[in-house]
Amino acid sequence: YSKNLDIEKKYILKKEEDLEYLTEQNVKARLRAARRYTRNHEYSMAMAEIEEILKIQPENEEALKLKKDIKSGKLKADLYYALALQYYRNGAYKDALKKVKKARKLNRDHTDAEFLYHMIIARIFIDKGEYLQAKSHLLDAFKIYPENEECLTLLNGVNDLLKARGK
C-alpha cells in the first residue's frame, strides 16, 4: 500500500512540475507577443496579452510595467516623437510640430520630445527670417542637449546673422 502511495506522490509531483513548466512557457510566449505588439504600436493587442499574463501571474513585474507604460501614454508618446523626428528630418516642420506636441502632451517628461520641439520651432523661425525668436528656442534646446552638433551649428549661424544685422 505504501509503495502505491509513493508512486502516486511521484506522479502528482511530476504533473505539478509539468504544469509549472507549461505555465512558465505560456507566460514567456505571451510576453514575447506583448513586446512585439508594443513595438508595432498595437497597444490593445499588447494589453490583451498582458491581461492574460496577469491572470496567471498577477505579480509578473514585466507585465505590470508594460501595462503601466501603455496606460500612461509613454509608449504612444514615443510613437509620436518618432513620427515628429521623421517629419523634422524631411523638412516638414509643421507636421513635425503637430506630432511633437502630441508626444509632449502624452509624456511631459519626454526630454527628446522637448528638445525636438525647440529645434522645430527654431527651424520655423529661421525659415521666416525671425532669427531672434529662433535663437531663443535654440538656447532652450541647447540647455537640454549642449553637445548636439546640429543645435550648435544653427546657434552659431543664427548668432552670425544677428551680428551681421547689428542685433
Side-chain angles (χ1 to χ4, degrees):
Y1 176 77
S2 68
K3 189 172 183 173
N4 285 344
L5 196 56
D6 285 342
I7 292 170
E8 188 76 23
K9 282 182 185 177
K10 286 180 183 177
Y11 176 78
I12 290 171
L13 287 174
K14 176 72 173 122
K15 285 294 178 193
E16 286 176 357
E17 283 177 21
D18 290 349
L19 182 60
E20 279 182 40
Y21 175 77
L22 291 173
T23 300
E24 194 58 39
Q25 293 306 306
N26 183 18
V27 167
K28 285 179 181 179
R30 287 188 179 277
L31 270 172
R32 282 192 302 274
R35 282 190 228 108
R36 186 177 61 253
Y37 286 131
T38 302
R39 273 193 311 274
N40 294 330
H41 307 289
E42 298 175 70
Y43 301 115
S44 60
M45 298 294 286
M47 195 59 95
E49 293 294 342
I50 291 166
E51 293 300 336
E52 289 302 315
I53 293 166
L54 294 174
K55 284 178 188 175
I56 299 166
Q57 292 180 345
E59 73 293 339
N60 186 294
E61 289 181 25
E62 188 175 351
L64 290 169
K65 184 185 181 316
L66 244 139
K67 182 177 181 177
K68 181 182 171 200
D69 287 348
I70 290 170
K71 285 197 173 231
S72 73
K74 281 185 177 183
L75 298 174
K76 268 193 179 167
D78 289 343
L79 170 63
Y80 283 115
Y81 168 75
L83 291 169
L85 186 59
Q86 277 309 120
Y87 282 125
Y88 177 78
R89 287 178 177 159
N90 292 331
Y93 302 128
K94 288 184 180 180
D95 291 327
L97 186 59
K98 288 177 191 173
K99 298 298 181 194
V100 82
K101 281 181 176 180
K102 285 184 180 180
R104 290 173 71 220
K105 185 178 178 183
L106 288 166
N107 182 359
R108 303 230 179 259
D109 299 324
H110 201 302
T111 307
D112 291 341
E114 189 65 23
F115 174 80
L116 185 59
Y117 170 78
H118 290 295
M119 292 296 291
I120 293 166
I121 297 288
R123 287 282 190 173
I124 290 170
F125 280 128
I126 289 169
D127 287 351
K128 291 180 178 179
E130 298 175 16
Y131 302 117
L132 207 52
Q133 293 90 332
K135 180 179 178 177
S136 173
H137 282 279
L138 287 169
L139 288 171
D140 288 338
F142 177 78
K143 288 174 192 169
I144 298 169
Y145 291 128
E147 294 87 30
N148 184 280
E149 287 184 35
E150 180 187 8
C151 182
L152 288 169
T153 301
L154 287 174
L155 195 53
N156 288 332
V158 165
N159 280 332
D160 290 345
L161 288 166
L162 288 171
K163 282 180 191 172
R165 287 185 170 182
K167 291 185 180 181

